[in-house]
Amino acid sequence: MQPTPDFDAAGLARSLLRRSRQGALATLMADSGDPYCSLVNVASDADGAPILLISRLALHTRNILGDSRVSLMLDERAQGDPLEGSRIMLAGRAEEADGDGLETPRRRYLNAHPSAEAFVNFKDFSFFRIRPKGAHLVAGFGRIVDLKPEQFLTDISDTGALLEAEQGAIEHMNADHREAMNLYATRLLGASPADWRCTGCDPDGLDMQAGTHALRLDFPRRIVAPAELRQMLKELADRARAAASI
């Protein structure tokens, strides 16, 4: 059965990648090749690819070091029947981040999981980035789609300045604009009032989190520079305040 014409499969896949904080990681046993599944915390890299912080003492890490092929399932964790919620299964390879490629995954993971600061520097822990080769999205009857990476990953080839400014923007929003963050969450996304904080921004949107709840605020247009980000956040704040006054 083909998906309905109004179904934005790529948009939903991107949203699941950005909002998910836990997932089921499947690896291959190093000695037998048998499948092995484990629960892991996840964050998203600048392009949306999943980031893991895992210990070399863990069986799934030893499996990855023997065979980097993995799959990762992320779901909406909605109340009620879990099978009625959307989920995405990524297939690809897990690659260890090191050297110059470590800074962004480390920063973005710790923004999403601040409690990991307690063990991130332990020698047995390492960051891994999953490089997807495809995804299988299930979002209900008539909404099952296979996607290629270019359909659900964000193009960051022209956004170097924006990504360099990302952490400063996050810290500024959390220090000086928590009211705006709460308005984004409640008035634009329909969430309940909470201590919403910014955990990431990229060309396509803003990531927010309050406790274990994560939200994704998609931008109405793509941005590639810090000045565009400032303008976008102001526009969204104005829109949220206007909605609050109705």
Side-chain angles (χ1 to χ4, degrees), residues 220-221 230-240:
R221 61 181 182 276
R230 290 191 292 271
Q231 180 62 31
M232 176 62 70
L233 294 176
K234 181 181 183 303
E235 290 177 13
L236 291 171
D238 290 343
R239 184 184 304 176

Side-chain angles (χ1 to χ4, degrees), residues 48 88 93 103 109 118 129 152 184 186 191 229 231 241:
I88 185 173
R93 292 186 178 272
E103 179 181 354
Y109 187 94
R129 183 182 187 276
F152 58 84
Y184 295 156
T186 58
L229 175 62
Q231 180 62 31
R241 291 189 180 98

Side-chain angles (χ1 to χ4, degrees), residues 3 43 47 83 100 136 143-145 154 156 165 173 177 185 187 211:
D47 64 354
L83 295 182
D100 294 338
H136 184 69
R143 294 187 169 191
I144 301 175
V145 183
T154 299
I156 57 173
M173 291 298 294
H177 297 287
R187 299 300 176 176

